[in-house]
Amino acid sequence: MTSTSQPIVLITGAGRGLGLALARALLSSGWRVVVDARRAGHLAAALPGAVVVPGDVTDPAHRDALAAAVSGLAPAGGQRLDLLVNNASDLGPSPLPRLADVPLTAVRRVYETNVLAPLALTQVFLVALRASHGTVLNISSDAAVEPYAGWGAYGSSKAALDQLTAVLAAEEPGLAVYSVDPGDMRTEMHQAAFPGEDICDRPAPEAVVPALLRLIATRPPSGRVRAADLAGAPA
Ligand SMILES: NC(=O)c1ccc[n+]([C@@H]2O[C@H](COP(=O)([O-])OP(=O)(O)OC[C@H]3O[C@@H](n4cnc5c(N)ncnc54)[C@H](OP(=O)(O)O)[C@@H]3O)[C@@H](O)[C@H]2O)c1
């Protein structure tokens, strides 16, 4: 049973990892949830009640399909999106190559996914976000601010995403706009960054979700935040 008073969220890259964990949590808190991933065949069963739109965030036709799915949940004739989570991300080649060797085609792909697609989705949903005084949550990384060898393509893309986030916050004072460094998580992307390493000491993505829920619920001033700093903050 759904009602038009339930908030609406779009989470990109919710096929696994952090996106899937956040989608599960928001669904169980009563949100109406739209998700995507390129491989999405398992998602109707994994996220009962969610609207699943298979596809690639870098594809304009897929972004149109996401817009249609979100407007299908809004009140008739109206536009509404309460929360946009740009979570889908491309790490680039694994093992991570140094800048001296990284193929430009791979860098281009990383930027298309991590920078241009979040910006394009922000443009697509800005009217709906403004209508609901919504929140934009761009998932960043410590690699945006730390110069780790091998992380040049991905890290610089997340730095660009951070700056887009900061400018959007300045331009749209009616929205809450965050870039969030979730910290290390035991996911497929993290394993690709550390091929052959045992990553079982890293926290599961579910461990980061309470900090994100706290951020969404409390709406502190827009900015860049580390999930680790939010974890113990009062609600
Ligand atoms: N894991 C970490 O330690 C860590 C640390 C810092 C920041 N982060 C950030 O946290 C976020 C979540 O990462 P994660 O570790 O949960 O990653 P993950 O487990 O690899 O999951 C990424 C999800 O995004 C989807 N995806 C990737 N490219 C896509 C595209 N072009 N279009 C649509 N969906 C796409 C993937 O599904 P398909 O492949 O089927 O499309 C998958 O569902 C990312 O923004 C990442 O940069 C992660």
Side-chain angles (χ1 to χ4, degrees):
M1 171 100 151
T2 59
S3 119
T4 52
S5 64
Q6 291 173 281
I8 302 171
V9 58
L10 167 61
I11 306 173
T12 65
R16 55 177 191 263
L18 180 61
L20 178 59
L22 180 61
R24 280 204 172 109
L26 289 174
L27 264 177
S28 66
S29 308
W31 286 66
R32 289 175 293 161
V33 175
V34 179
V35 292
D36 81 352
R38 291 163 300 181
R39 293 163 289 165
H42 60 295
L43 275 182
L47 291 172
V51 178
V52 179
V53 185
D56 187 325
V57 288
T58 66
D59 174 2
H62 171 61
R63 295 194 295 260
D64 289 346
L66 289 172
V70 168
S71 62
L73 295 180
Q79 296 217 50
R80 176 173 177 184
L81 182 62
D82 298 277
L83 174 61
L84 168 63
V85 185
N86 284 305
N87 169 76
S89 187
D90 190 320
L91 178 69
S94 169
L96 292 167
R98 289 175 170 265
L99 289 176
D101 306 313
V102 66
L104 294 186
T105 49
V107 179
R108 200 167 282 123
R109 174 78 201 162
V110 166
Y111 273 70
E112 287 280 350
T113 308
N114 299 359
V115 185
L116 294 178
L119 173 58
L121 285 169
T122 301
Q123 291 174 340
V124 165
F125 289 109
L126 209 40
V127 169
L129 285 162
R130 285 179 186 140
S132 42
H133 303 290
T135 298
V136 179
L137 211 159
N138 291 327
I139 305 299
S140 183
S141 168
D142 59 333
V145 292
E146 299 291 344
Y148 303 127
W151 292 75
Y154 173 87
S156 62
S157 76
K158 293 294 192 179
L161 181 64
D162 282 0
Q163 184 65 355
L164 285 182
T165 309
V167 172
L168 182 69
E171 292 176 349
E172 300 289 339
L175 304 183
V177 186
Y178 308 104
S179 59
V180 182
D181 167 10
D184 287 355
M185 298 174 290
R186 192 170 66 241
T187 67
E188 199 171 305
M189 174 181 287
H190 197 84
Q191 186 69 74
F194 299 95
E197 253 185 60
D198 182 358
I199 62 164
C200 72
D201 61 334
R202 275 65 151 189
E206 286 74 11
V208 176
V209 169
L212 300 185
L213 296 180
R214 191 179 297 263
L215 181 66
I216 294 160
T218 57
R219 278 174 73 101
S222 295
R224 186 180 198 278
V225 293
R226 292 169 66 243
D229 295 334
L230 294 166

